[in-house]
């Protein structure tokens, strides 16, 4: 019986250590958020409604419930992404602001063809970068989440 108890005890200790480590990281993140929100200026958070973004939004709205949550509406999202965004926004009472390109997908494709296939950089400029920077122009403080895959490029 002691052989079975030892791995269980070790696993419980590892789990407790992991939970304590995560709690410390969350506390550190919340303190950083509070210090940034205490600065003068208007804050916003961008969210793609991926895991990392949703966790960040949750921590921020605990401290500033009405913070603008900016979403890049590219016109190319999966319907499930939009449904999830809408559900979370409704359940959490988010101050959701959709940032959109100047042209609809149909208008852009009529003028340039299917840019996400032929000129992806131009497509990103028109549907993501331009609308993002336009939307951010009225804010002084910007919170955003980076996925692990995005870190190598920063």
């Amino acid at each position: 019986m002691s052989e079975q108890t030892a791995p269980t005890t070790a696993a419980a200790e590892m789990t407790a250590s992991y939970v304590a480590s995560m709690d410390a990281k969350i506390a550190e993140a919340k303190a950083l958020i509070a210090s940034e929100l205490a600065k003068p200026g208007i804050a916003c958070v961008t969210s793609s409604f991926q895991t990392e973004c949703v966790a960040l939004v949750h921590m921020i709205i605990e401290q500033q419930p009405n913070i603008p949550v900016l979403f890049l509406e590219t016109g190319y999202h999966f319907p499930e992404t939009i449904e999830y965004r809408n559900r979370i926004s409704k359940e959490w009472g988010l101050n959701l602001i959709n940032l959109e390109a100047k042209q609809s997908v149909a208008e852009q494709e009529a003028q340039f063809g299917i840019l996400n296939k032929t000129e992806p950089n131009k497509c990103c400029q028109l549907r993501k970068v331009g609308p993002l920077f336009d939307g951010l122009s009225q804010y002084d403080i910007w919170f955003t989440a980076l996925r692990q895959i995005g870190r190598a490029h920063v």
Side-chain angles (χ1 to χ4, degrees):
M1 186 164 230
S2 63
E3 290 177 17
Q4 290 179 341
T5 305
T8 303
T9 303
E13 288 173 5
M14 285 175 50
T15 300
S17 173
Y18 177 77
V19 168
S21 171
M22 290 306 296
D23 285 346
K25 288 178 181 179
I26 291 168
E28 183 180 349
K30 287 181 177 184
L32 179 58
I33 290 166
S35 72
E36 291 301 310
L37 288 174
K39 292 178 179 178
I42 302 168
C44 72
V45 58
T46 52
S47 180
S48 64
F49 288 86
Q50 299 292 320
T51 304
E52 298 85 354
C53 293
V54 172
L56 176 64
V57 168
H58 188 267
M59 285 191 285
I60 293 171
I61 66 169
E62 285 179 327
Q63 297 183 45
Q64 189 173 326
N66 202 34
I67 190 168
V69 178
L70 311 181
F71 176 78
L72 279 171
E73 176 50 90
T74 64
Y76 290 107
H77 291 291
F78 294 113
E80 295 85 358
T81 301
I82 301 302
E83 290 168 14
Y84 181 67
R85 177 206 62 193
N86 292 345
R87 182 171 58 86
I88 292 295
S89 181
K90 183 178 178 183
E91 287 176 8
W92 292 2
L94 298 180
N95 179 11
L96 182 66
I97 299 171
N98 291 309
L99 304 177
E100 298 178 346
K102 293 179 176 139
Q103 293 179 304
S104 70
V105 171
E107 291 167 339
Q108 178 180 302
E109 290 180 355
Q111 182 176 357
F112 300 110
I114 302 177
L115 288 177
N116 64 338
K117 303 285 187 204
T118 60
E119 292 183 71
N121 288 341
K122 186 172 185 175
C123 184
C124 283
Q125 178 62 41
L126 293 172
R127 305 214 71 75
K128 293 179 180 180
V129 178
L132 175 62
F133 287 149
D134 288 348
L136 289 174
S137 67
Q138 59 189 310
Y139 300 100
D140 306 299
I141 301 164
W142 172 30
F143 293 94
T144 190
L146 293 176
R147 293 183 283 177
Q148 285 287 51
I149 196 167
R151 289 182 145 180
H153 306 291
V154 176

